[in-house]
Amino acid sequence: MNALALPVVLPLLAAFLVRPAGLASGSLARWFGPLVLLLCAGMLVDTALLTHGQPVSANIGGFAPPLGIVFYADSLALLFAIAVPAFALLLWPREAMQAGGDRISALMLLLVGSGTGMALSGDLFNLYVFYELLAVASFGLVASSGSARAWAATVRYLLISGFGSVLALVGVALIYAQTGTLNLAQLSEFAPERLANPLGLAAFACLLIGFGVKAELFPVNAWVPEVYATAPKRVSALLAGVVSKLAILVVLRLILLVFDLPEARQSLLVLGLIGLVSGELAAWRARDLPRMLAFSSIGQLGLLFMAVSIPGVLGLIAALAVALHHLLMKPALFLLAERWSGGLENLAGAGRKAPLAAGLFTLFALSLLGVPPLPGFWAKLVLLLGLGQQDAVLAQAAIFGVLLMAVVEAHYLFRLVGLLYAKTAHGAPPHRMGDLAVASLLGAILVASMPLLPALAQGLGWMAHQASDVAAYRAVTLGSTIPGVAP
Amino acid sequence: MHKLASLLFAIGLAALLIGLAAQLPLGMTPMVVGQAILEQAPGETGSANIVTSVVLAYRGIDTLGELAILFAAATVAGLVLAPSIHAESRLRAKPRHDAGLVLRAGSDLLFPLLLSVGFYIVLHGHLTPGGGFQGGVVLAAAFFVSFLARPARQPSHVGIVLIEALAGASFIGIGLAALLGGGAFLQPVLDKGTLGQLVSAGSLPLLYLAVGLKVGAELSGLLAHLAE
């Protein structure tokens, strides 16, 4: 499956070429990016159909791992890899379609290439390189609205992200110094012997903080509210929806393959719980919609970290369910918030002027809360079941925290929905057709998934089984013969 | 108070990292991948410089990622620094004075020297320490020097954009050519030649040339933006 490299490389190639294309013809530069993304999404779907979701790998450069870098595509990796170009197409920034938008197009293409790489790569340092590329591209996209506040927010984001990157690099170095390899499959062989010690846990903590910056993990999420409030809403939607999930996917792979330690899982549970509580409480106090969504996103990702911390297949299913649910919800909510920024009190009666937008918002709010029979309910239910399986006091405290925060969430979301339908005149501009269409599409997927839930649950279970099969990961990436590298 | 807290945080973090580093078995790190590469690299890639065979062959896609990071950083800088059209025309109208005779003559002398040193380092990357990144910086320095001596003569934006794009595209193009030829992406192609010869190591010197030109163009473009 050597062609597995193409969906990562073609967006990079297109990003390099987009500006010369802009010199030749403006409309060529405008449509170039989306077309390449369509091609990449098509190739990934084709790979998924061709392999029937069975794991495959590709040796980049033709060198067998662990010497070379390997890409690994199981159904989990392919699912997120397809989500990157697909959501980038849905959320393609309006600025990129205007004159002089070729730089933004190039950054979007770099974001997609690196994001797909993060989903597929099976090498720790390669993951770090793609993560850096993703970070630098997102700085530009966040600053692209051009206002002074957006720049101030970007500088803060840049500093926190840079701090995280340095720590992640320290983590990679600590792991390499202990094991002498960077290949995830080989690391999974060495880990029980060489990384199950305080130094290994320190390496995990460094990597967790580093990758946690994009996943809005508790101590390194101070950039979130300002950036989401000032960046173009489509970029916020992409960062909160897709980019955060890619960072979580890396943490998930690390937990599954390398750091399958109770201490590592506990730290995820604690940080996730703090993120959930602080995010939801801050969202409750927020006074404008974009900030409220940003804080609620911190809370939701805290929930996701808690799901990742649950051991076994049930935990993986919970993590997948929460992640996919959030992947659909947050972009749609940010698109709806585009015309509803400003103070919450200005939104009084907005729903009467924009019934479709308000209806969609209510639907998403209900699913976010976890009202049955919407998919959000099932996601939260699996999470609570997974937490309930453990007898640790911490897990019970976490269940209590999740339920309590659901009440807080219900209070601020219902207050907002009530405001939307208040009987006052309202003068907000109507939503753009494109935004409403994308939000409706995501809403339709959400509703359509309800009758399909049994099939979906089965699919997620199968995916979770496959992803937690470490032996298969090793067999597929390293092949039957491991080249002469005795430890 | 805030500054004190930051200082304490920085000291604490530094102490933590030093503490971690002190526990490492320095000098006795396990050489799992490293040893294998040391043994196999010259035979497999035909490059006398083992660092080059790691950078371009074994971990070629990392290098592509780093080029893309540099490109992304330059693009972001362009996006943030790009002056509006009015500001640009105002700047253009302002006359800029050349540096004195000594600087101009010196830069004229240095320019060809720096160019040849830069290309030398780039093209010998598979034989001696150096390579595309280092040589590319020297190439950019050649243009920096002439720009400092003659601020009025701006480097051509279109030229920089074209070189930057074509160099990056040819790096990926070489990789794709290997893929189309039935190999893996970025698999070294062409004849390996004799170890230690200038024309050896297959496509690795071509990849380094692309890296060098891209790094040089990227840095020159950044300078042009900062100058405006």
Side-chain angles (χ1 to χ4, degrees):
Chain A
M1 286 306 288
N2 282 328
L4 207 53
L6 282 178
V8 179
V9 180
L10 287 185
L12 299 186
L13 179 65
F16 291 157
L17 290 178
V18 110
R19 293 205 60 205
L23 293 178
S25 140
S27 59
L28 177 68
R30 234 165 281 154
W31 293 104
F32 191 42
L35 283 177
V36 171
L37 293 193
L38 206 59
L39 179 70
C40 291
M43 274 193 295
L44 285 164
V45 171
D46 189 46
T47 311
L49 292 178
L50 220 61
T51 58
H52 302 290
Q54 293 304 322
V56 284
S57 70
N59 298 342
I60 308 298
F63 297 99
L67 298 195
I69 290 168
V70 66
F71 278 8
Y72 175 79
D74 57 356
S75 50
L76 176 69
L78 276 178
L79 179 71
F80 283 95
I82 293 170
V84 180
F87 274 86
L89 269 176
L90 285 179
L91 302 171
W92 192 255
R94 200 163 282 109
E95 291 86 355
M97 297 305 266
Q98 291 158 359
D102 48 2
R103 284 201 176 96
I104 296 173
S105 285
L107 290 175
M108 280 295 288
L109 287 163
L110 290 173
L111 187 89
V112 172
S114 58
T116 316
M118 272 179 80
L120 295 178
S121 180
D123 185 282
L124 193 56
F125 188 75
N126 193 232
L127 281 173
Y128 172 78
V129 169
F130 282 133
Y131 181 69
E132 270 298 290
L133 180 54
L134 190 88
V136 176
S138 67
F139 299 151
L141 290 171
V142 165
S144 66
S145 67
S147 68
R149 276 179 61 216
W151 286 0
T154 309
V155 169
R156 191 189 178 102
Y157 177 35
L158 197 145
L159 288 177
I160 295 177
S161 187
F163 170 73
S165 293
V166 171
L167 272 192
L169 191 60
V170 169
V172 174
L174 282 176
I175 289 181
Y176 186 73
Q178 296 263 81
T179 60
T181 183
L182 293 166
N183 182 279
L184 286 182
Q186 208 179 19
L187 279 176
S188 77
E189 279 171 17
F190 294 165
E193 188 190 330
R194 301 189 189 173
L195 288 174
N197 52 28
L199 215 50
L201 276 176
F204 174 73
C206 287
L207 286 170
L208 183 63
I209 299 285
F211 285 101
V213 175
K214 293 283 170 306
E216 305 167 20
L217 183 68
F218 158 65
V220 280
N221 55 14
W223 57 274
V224 173
E226 272 304 304
V227 164
Y228 288 180
T230 56
K233 287 296 160 289
R234 288 178 165 240
V235 173
S236 304
L238 202 62
L239 286 184
V242 185
V243 171
S244 63
K245 303 300 171 303
L246 292 170
I248 298 226
L249 183 65
V250 173
V251 173
L252 190 65
R253 286 265 191 238
L254 284 175
I255 278 273
L256 283 175
L257 295 170
V258 188
F259 294 104
D260 197 2
L261 305 167
E263 292 90 344
R265 290 183 186 274
Q266 260 169 24
S267 60
L268 279 181
L269 185 60
V270 172
L271 291 179
L273 186 60
I274 300 176
L276 173 70
V277 172
S278 60
E280 296 296 358
L281 288 179
W284 184 65
R285 285 184 52 100
R287 286 286 160 263
D288 65 304
L289 187 54
R291 274 195 184 72
M292 179 190 274
L293 291 178
F295 283 124
S296 119
S297 164
I298 293 179
Q300 295 287 323
L301 285 162
L303 209 61
L304 184 48
F305 271 109
M306 290 163 73
V308 174
S309 79
I310 302 168
V313 174
L314 189 60
L316 254 174
I317 296 177
L320 277 174
V322 176
L324 291 179
H325 180 245
H326 191 245
L327 180 67
L328 282 181
M329 315 281 315
K330 263 289 130 62
L333 285 172
F334 271 113
L335 286 179
L336 292 176
E338 166 116 46
R339 287 302 164 94
W340 288 344
S341 46
L344 282 182
E345 60 285 349
N346 296 340
L347 293 182
R352 292 176 177 273
K353 274 194 82 176
L356 177 62
L360 282 169
F361 190 90
T362 313
L363 173 76
F364 292 130
L366 289 176
S367 190
L368 207 57
L369 271 179
V371 175
L374 289 162
F377 167 71
W378 301 104
K380 268 193 186 168
L381 186 68
V382 183
L383 170 74
L384 289 174
L385 282 178
L387 286 174
Q389 262 189 349
Q390 298 158 281
D391 348 299
V393 185
L394 202 57
Q396 279 154 15
I399 295 179
F400 180 70
V402 172
L403 293 175
L404 191 68
M405 285 308 124
V407 176
V408 174
E409 215 176 1
H411 182 250
Y412 70 78
L413 284 174
F414 283 148
R415 191 181 58 192
L416 185 60
V417 171
L419 254 179
L420 283 178
Y421 287 104
K423 279 189 185 138
T424 38
H426 178 69
H431 287 75
R432 289 199 188 90
M433 280 310 288
D435 290 349
L436 265 188
V438 173
S440 313
L441 176 70
L442 295 173
I445 296 176
L446 191 74
V447 173
S449 68
M450 274 192 293
L452 299 175
L453 266 175
L456 269 179
Q458 211 181 0
L460 288 186
W462 180 72
M463 209 178 264
H465 268 290
Q466 194 186 45
S468 56
D469 190 354
V470 179
Y473 189 103
R474 269 183 229 152
V476 171
T477 51
L478 296 179
S480 48
T481 53
I482 300 172
V485 277
Chain B
M1 193 58 213
H2 192 70
K3 278 182 186 162
L4 191 67
S6 313
L7 186 69
L8 280 179
F9 175 75
I11 292 174
L13 188 70
L16 203 65
L17 292 180
I18 292 171
L20 286 176
Q23 288 192 24
L24 286 175
L26 285 179
M28 301 185 299
T29 45
M31 291 278 285
V32 179
V33 170
Q35 194 62 43
I37 284 183
L38 280 180
E39 284 161 11
Q40 300 172 16
E44 278 189 352
T45 64
S47 158
N49 183 356
I50 292 194
V51 175
T52 299
S53 57
V54 173
V55 167
L56 292 181
Y58 293 106
R59 307 195 68 93
I61 196 158
D62 278 353
T63 306
L64 176 59
E66 275 146 27
L67 281 184
I69 292 174
L70 200 59
F71 173 72
T75 309
V76 173
L79 195 67
V80 174
L81 294 176
S84 61
I85 295 168
H86 298 290
E88 200 167 1
S89 58
R90 218 175 335 122
L91 273 178
R92 283 276 152 74
K94 196 170 72 180
R96 299 198 193 186
H97 298 291
D98 280 9
L101 173 71
V102 176
L103 273 181
R104 266 183 289 139
S107 90
D108 287 348
L109 273 176
L110 269 177
F111 184 73
L113 281 178
L114 281 173
L115 271 192
S116 39
V117 169
F119 275 113
Y120 182 90
I121 294 179
V122 170
L123 291 176
H124 286 72
H126 59 299
L127 302 175
T128 54
F133 286 99
Q134 297 86 335
V137 174
V138 178
L139 287 181
F143 289 95
F144 278 31
V145 167
S146 69
F147 178 75
L148 285 179
R150 293 190 178 78
R153 207 193 289 165
Q154 292 261 337
S156 146
H157 266 290
V158 177
I160 289 175
V161 165
L162 279 181
I163 294 180
E164 175 182 77
L166 292 180
S170 54
F171 189 99
I172 299 183
I174 294 171
L176 289 179
L179 187 68
L180 286 179
F185 178 72
L186 273 180
Q187 188 159 4
V189 286
L190 304 180
D191 187 33
K192 288 196 194 72
T194 328
L195 187 71
Q197 294 287 312
L198 181 58
V199 182
S200 68
S203 53
L204 297 193
L206 294 178
L207 288 177
Y208 247 166
L209 186 61
V211 172
L213 288 176
K214 180 133 181 98
V215 171
E218 223 71 86
L219 291 178
S220 315
L222 207 55
L223 175 86
H225 276 304
L226 288 175
E228 281 168 13

